Coordinates of all heavy atoms in Angstrom, one line a residue:
S1 N -5.1 -20.3 17.3 CA -3.8 -20.8 17.8 C -3.5 -22.1 17.4 O -2.3 -22.4 17.1 CB -3.7 -20.6 19.3 OG -4.6 -21.4 20.0
L2 N -4.5 -23.1 17.3 CA -4.1 -24.4 16.8 C -3.7 -24.4 15.3 O -2.7 -25.1 15.0 CB -5.3 -25.4 17.1 CG -5.1 -26.9 16.6 CD1 -4.1 -27.5 17.4 CD2 -6.5 -27.6 16.7
S3 N -4.3 -23.7 14.6 CA -4.0 -23.5 13.2 C -2.6 -23.0 13.0 O -1.8 -23.3 12.1 CB -5.0 -22.7 12.4 OG -4.6 -22.4 11.1
L4 N -2.3 -22.0 13.9 CA -0.9 -21.4 13.9 C 0.1 -22.4 14.3 O 1.2 -22.4 13.6 CB -0.8 -20.2 14.9 CG -1.7 -19.0 14.4 CD1 -1.6 -17.9 15.5 CD2 -1.3 -18.5 13.2
R5 N -0.1 -23.2 15.3 CA 0.9 -24.2 15.7 C 1.1 -25.2 14.5 O 2.1 -25.6 14.2 CB 0.5 -24.9 16.9 CG 0.6 -23.9 18.2 CD 0.4 -24.6 19.5 NE -1.0 -25.3 19.6 CZ -2.1 -24.7 20.2 NH1 -1.9 -23.5 20.8 NH2 -3.1 -25.4 20.2
R6 N 0.0 -25.6 14.0 CA 0.0 -26.5 12.8 C 0.9 -26.0 11.7 O 1.7 -26.6 11.1 CB -1.3 -27.0 12.4 CG -1.3 -28.0 11.3 CD -2.7 -28.4 10.8 NE -3.6 -28.9 12.0 CZ -4.7 -28.4 12.4 NH1 -5.3 -27.4 11.8 NH2 -5.4 -28.9 13.4
S7 N 0.7 -24.7 11.4 CA 1.4 -24.0 10.3 C 2.9 -23.9 10.7 O 3.8 -24.0 9.8 CB 0.9 -22.7 10.0 OG -0.4 -22.8 9.5
A8 N 3.3 -23.7 12.0 CA 4.6 -23.6 12.4 C 5.3 -24.9 12.2 O 6.5 -25.1 11.7 CB 4.7 -23.1 13.8
L9 N 4.6 -26.0 12.5 CA 5.1 -27.4 12.3 C 5.4 -27.6 10.8 O 6.3 -28.3 10.4 CB 4.2 -28.4 13.0 CG 4.3 -28.6 14.4 CD1 3.1 -29.5 14.9 CD2 5.6 -29.1 14.9
R10 N 4.5 -27.1 9.9 CA 4.6 -27.3 8.5 C 5.7 -26.5 8.0 O 6.5 -27.0 7.1 CB 3.3 -27.0 7.8 CG 2.2 -27.9 8.1 CD 0.8 -27.4 7.4 NE 1.0 -27.1 5.9 CZ 0.3 -26.2 5.3 NH1 -0.6 -25.5 6.0 NH2 0.4 -26.0 4.1
L11 N 6.0 -25.3 8.5 CA 7.0 -24.4 8.1 C 8.4 -24.8 8.5 O 9.4 -24.6 7.8 CB 6.7 -23.0 8.5 CG 7.3 -22.0 7.8 CD1 7.0 -21.9 6.2 CD2 6.8 -20.6 8.2
A12 N 8.5 -25.4 9.7 CA 9.8 -25.7 10.3 C 10.7 -26.5 9.5 O 12.0 -26.1 9.2 CB 9.6 -26.3 11.6
P13 N 10.4 -27.5 8.8 CA 11.3 -28.3 8.0 C 11.6 -27.8 6.7 O 12.4 -28.3 5.9 CB 10.5 -29.6 7.8 CG 9.0 -29.4 8.1 CD 9.1 -28.3 9.0
L14 N 10.9 -26.6 6.3 CA 11.2 -25.9 5.1 C 12.2 -24.7 5.2 O 12.8 -24.4 4.3 CB 9.9 -25.4 4.5 CG 8.8 -26.5 4.2 CD1 7.5 -25.8 3.8 CD2 9.3 -27.3 3.0
V15 N 12.4 -24.2 6.4 CA 13.2 -23.1 6.6 C 14.5 -23.3 7.5 O 15.3 -22.5 7.4 CB 12.3 -21.9 7.2 CG1 11.3 -21.4 6.3 CG2 11.8 -22.3 8.6
F16 N 14.5 -24.4 8.3 CA 15.7 -24.8 9.0 C 16.2 -23.7 10.0 O 17.4 -23.5 10.0 CB 16.8 -25.3 8.1 CG 16.3 -26.3 7.2 CD1 16.7 -26.3 5.8 CD2 15.6 -27.5 7.7 CE1 16.3 -27.5 5.0 CE2 15.3 -28.5 6.9 CZ 15.7 -28.5 5.6
V17 N 15.3 -22.9 10.5 CA 15.8 -22.0 11.5 C 15.6 -22.4 12.9 O 14.8 -23.5 13.2 CB 15.1 -20.6 11.4 CG1 15.4 -19.9 9.9 CG2 13.6 -20.8 11.6
R18 N 16.2 -21.8 13.9 CA 16.0 -22.2 15.3 C 14.5 -21.9 15.7 O 13.9 -21.0 15.1 CB 16.8 -21.4 16.2 CG 18.3 -21.7 16.0 CD 19.2 -20.8 16.9 NE 20.6 -21.2 16.7 CZ 21.4 -20.7 15.8 NH1 20.9 -19.9 14.9 NH2 22.7 -21.1 15.7
P19 N 14.0 -22.8 16.6 CA 12.5 -22.6 17.0 C 12.2 -21.1 17.5 O 11.1 -20.7 17.1 CB 12.4 -23.6 18.1 CG 13.4 -24.6 17.9 CD 14.6 -23.8 17.3
G20 N 13.1 -20.5 18.2 CA 12.8 -19.1 18.7 C 12.7 -18.1 17.5 O 11.9 -17.2 17.5
E21 N 13.6 -18.3 16.4 CA 13.4 -17.4 15.3 C 12.3 -17.6 14.6 O 11.6 -16.8 14.0 CB 14.6 -17.7 14.4 CG 16.0 -17.4 15.1 CD 17.2 -18.0 14.5 OE1 17.1 -18.9 13.6 OE2 18.3 -17.8 15.0
L22 N 11.7 -18.9 14.5 CA 10.4 -19.2 13.8 C 9.3 -18.7 14.4 O 8.5 -17.9 14.0 CB 10.3 -20.7 13.6 CG 9.0 -21.1 12.9 CD1 8.9 -20.6 11.5 CD2 8.8 -22.7 12.9
R23 N 9.2 -18.9 15.8 CA 8.0 -18.4 16.6 C 7.9 -16.9 16.7 O 6.9 -16.4 16.8 CB 7.9 -19.1 17.9 CG 9.0 -18.6 18.9 CD 8.8 -19.3 20.3 NE 9.7 -18.6 21.2 CZ 9.6 -17.5 21.8 NH1 8.5 -16.8 21.6 NH2 10.5 -16.9 22.5
A24 N 9.1 -16.2 16.6 CA 9.1 -14.8 16.7 C 9.2 -14.0 15.3 O 9.5 -12.8 15.3 CB 10.2 -14.2 17.6
A25 N 9.0 -14.8 14.3 CA 9.0 -14.2 12.9 C 8.0 -13.0 12.8 O 7.0 -13.1 13.4 CB 8.7 -15.3 11.9
E26 N 8.5 -12.0 12.2 CA 7.7 -10.8 12.0 C 7.4 -10.7 10.5 O 8.2 -10.8 9.7 CB 8.5 -9.5 12.6 CG 8.7 -9.6 14.0 CD 9.4 -8.5 14.6 OE1 9.4 -7.4 14.0 OE2 10.0 -8.5 15.8
W27 N 6.2 -10.1 10.3 CA 5.8 -9.9 8.9 C 6.6 -9.0 8.2 O 6.9 -9.1 7.1 CB 4.3 -9.4 8.9 CG 3.4 -10.6 9.1 CD1 2.5 -10.8 10.1 CD2 3.2 -11.8 8.3 NE1 1.9 -12.0 9.9 CE2 2.3 -12.6 8.8 CE3 3.8 -12.2 6.9 CZ2 1.9 -13.8 8.2 CZ3 3.4 -13.3 6.4 CH2 2.5 -14.2 7.0
A28 N 7.2 -8.0 8.9 CA 8.1 -6.9 8.3 C 9.5 -7.5 7.7 O 10.1 -7.0 6.9 CB 8.5 -5.9 9.3
E29 N 9.7 -8.8 8.2 CA 11.0 -9.5 7.8 C 10.7 -10.3 6.5 O 11.7 -10.7 5.9 CB 11.4 -10.5 8.9 CG 11.8 -9.9 10.2 CD 12.1 -11.0 11.3 OE1 11.5 -12.0 11.2 OE2 12.8 -10.5 12.2
I30 N 9.5 -10.4 6.1 CA 9.1 -11.5 5.1 C 8.6 -10.8 3.9 O 7.8 -9.9 3.9 CB 8.1 -12.5 5.6 CG1 8.7 -13.3 6.7 CG2 7.6 -13.4 4.5 CD1 7.7 -14.1 7.5
N31 N 9.3 -11.1 2.7 CA 8.8 -10.7 1.4 C 8.4 -11.8 0.7 O 9.1 -12.6 0.0 CB 10.1 -10.0 0.7 CG 9.6 -9.3 -0.6 OD1 8.7 -9.8 -1.3 ND2 10.2 -8.2 -0.9
L32 N 7.1 -12.0 0.6 CA 6.5 -13.1 -0.1 C 6.7 -13.1 -1.7 O 6.9 -14.0 -2.3 CB 4.9 -13.2 0.2 CG 4.7 -13.5 1.7 CD1 3.2 -13.5 1.9 CD2 5.2 -14.9 2.1
D33 N 6.7 -11.8 -2.2 CA 6.9 -11.7 -3.6 C 8.3 -12.1 -4.1 O 8.5 -12.7 -5.1 CB 6.6 -10.3 -4.1 CG 5.1 -9.9 -3.9 OD1 4.2 -10.8 -4.0 OD2 4.9 -8.7 -3.7
R34 N 9.3 -11.9 -3.2 CA 10.6 -12.2 -3.6 C 11.0 -13.6 -3.0 O 12.1 -14.1 -3.1 CB 11.6 -11.2 -3.1 CG 11.5 -10.0 -3.8 CD 12.5 -8.7 -3.4 NE 13.7 -9.3 -3.3 CZ 14.8 -8.5 -3.0 NH1 14.6 -7.4 -2.4 NH2 16.0 -9.0 -3.0
A35 N 10.1 -14.1 -2.2 CA 10.3 -15.4 -1.5 C 11.5 -15.4 -0.6 O 12.4 -16.4 -0.6 CB 10.3 -16.7 -2.5
E36 N 11.6 -14.4 0.3 CA 12.7 -14.3 1.2 C 12.3 -13.9 2.5 O 11.2 -13.2 2.8 CB 13.7 -13.1 0.6 CG 14.3 -13.4 -0.6 CD 15.2 -12.2 -1.1 OE1 15.0 -11.1 -0.5 OE2 16.0 -12.4 -2.1
W37 N 13.0 -14.3 3.6 CA 12.8 -14.0 4.9 C 14.2 -13.5 5.4 O 15.1 -14.2 5.5 CB 12.4 -15.2 5.7 CG 12.2 -15.0 7.1 CD1 12.1 -13.9 7.9 CD2 12.1 -16.1 8.1 NE1 12.0 -14.1 9.2 CE2 11.9 -15.5 9.4 CE3 11.9 -17.6 8.0 CZ2 11.7 -16.3 10.6 CZ3 11.9 -18.2 9.2 CH2 11.7 -17.6 10.4
N38 N 14.2 -12.2 5.7 CA 15.3 -11.5 6.2 C 15.2 -11.3 7.7 O 14.6 -10.5 8.2 CB 15.6 -10.2 5.6 CG 15.9 -10.2 4.1 OD1 17.0 -10.6 3.8 ND2 15.0 -10.0 3.2
I39 N 16.1 -12.2 8.4 CA 16.1 -12.1 9.9 C 17.2 -11.2 10.3 O 18.4 -11.3 9.9 CB 16.3 -13.5 10.5 CG1 15.2 -14.5 10.0 CG2 16.2 -13.3 12.1 CD1 15.5 -15.8 10.4
S40 N 16.9 -10.2 11.1 CA 17.9 -9.2 11.5 C 18.9 -9.8 12.3 O 18.7 -10.8 13.1 CB 17.2 -8.0 12.2 OG 16.6 -8.4 13.4

């Protein structure tokens, strides 16, 4: 969990989403090959 929190802090300034959207991100929303995160 410490590593996850650290990663969330690293990711937050790169994606500019609300904290609730970041913490509840689902793998099904993310396409790493296309470098996209589609939030429903």
Side-chain angles (χ1 to χ4, degrees):
S1 60
L2 179 60
S3 176
L4 292 180
R5 290 188 302 259
R6 186 178 300 126
S7 294
L9 283 170
R10 290 174 55 210
L11 200 54
L14 297 172
V15 294
F16 304 133
V17 297
R18 291 175 180 85
E21 293 155 0
L22 179 62
R23 71 176 186 80
E26 298 183 17
W27 284 113
E29 301 171 332
I30 296 171
N31 185 324
L32 294 173
D33 294 329
R34 292 180 55 184
E36 294 178 346
W37 176 13
N38 288 289
I39 306 173
S40 69

